[in-house]
Amino acid sequence: FLDPDDVRGPLKVVDARGRFRFTDHPLGQVSMINLASVRDLSQKMGVELDPLRFRGNLYVEGWPAWVENDWRGRELMVGWAKATVFEPIVRCAATEVDPATGVKDLEVVKALFDTYGHMNCGITIRMTTAGRVGLGDAVTAPQDLKTPTPP
């Protein structure tokens, strides 16, 4: 790791492919956020949480709140691709920063723990087969999993 005292010169964006990845999990899984869970937490906190606080790769509509926390190891269809649920995402202080302003404004992690007894919001999934995934595509819950026939 780089020592901050060793940084010299102006900051710049560099290509770090193959050398470093900033992900929620070291294996680089895809993060999926259940919007009903975010709305439920928002209601309990008495504020409207921007789902972007949770830095998801995919946002899902239509699941009951928090149902995803029990899906470790289960399969999903994501559009026309298959995935396996790795685990719920344990949240950190980054969720406490307003994504529009960059200002730390809410104790999201504390609210998760105080309200639900855990600090999870979202799940990481591992893609197991390639397939098209687009805006508005279905994400099939494990109990409803069927292999669809592509159009």
Side-chain angles (χ1 to χ4, degrees):
F1 289 96
L2 186 63
D3 181 343
D5 294 332
D6 288 341
V7 176
R8 295 179 194 93
L11 297 177
K12 61 183 176 180
V13 176
V14 296
D15 184 347
R17 284 179 280 195
R19 291 176 279 173
F20 179 79
R21 296 186 313 176
F22 185 72
T23 64
D24 284 324
H25 189 275
L27 297 178
Q29 277 87 350
V30 173
S31 61
M32 184 177 288
I33 308 301
N34 179 355
L35 292 173
S37 299
V38 174
R39 281 192 299 274
D40 187 65
L41 178 59
S42 293
Q43 187 270 325
K44 300 283 194 302
M45 291 179 69
V47 298
E48 186 173 338
L49 293 171
D50 184 339
L52 295 179
R53 280 182 187 266
F54 300 97
R55 302 170 327 278
N57 300 115
L58 300 170
Y59 294 86
V60 179
E61 190 67 79
W63 293 345
W66 308 110
V67 69
E68 67 277 14
N69 283 343
D70 296 326
W71 288 353
R72 185 185 306 251
R74 308 278 303 271
E75 289 187 335
L76 297 174
M77 290 296 297
V78 181
W80 297 102
K82 286 186 181 179
T84 300
V85 177
F86 185 68
E87 64 187 354
I89 301 170
V90 177
R91 290 303 170 172
C92 67
T95 60
E96 299 179 355
V97 175
D98 183 323
T101 66
V103 174
K104 185 174 179 179
D105 62 349
L106 297 171
E107 292 184 317
V108 173
V109 177
K110 181 179 183 327
L112 282 165
F113 187 78
D114 289 351
T115 305
Y116 306 106
H118 62 71
M119 297 180 295
N120 304 330
C121 190
I123 53 177
T124 52
I125 61 173
R126 181 176 56 87
M127 303 310 295
T128 56
T129 64
R132 182 185 58 78
V133 179
L135 184 63
D137 281 355
V139 178
T140 308
Q143 65 272 20
D144 299 328
L145 184 65
K146 296 180 181 88
T147 304
T149 304

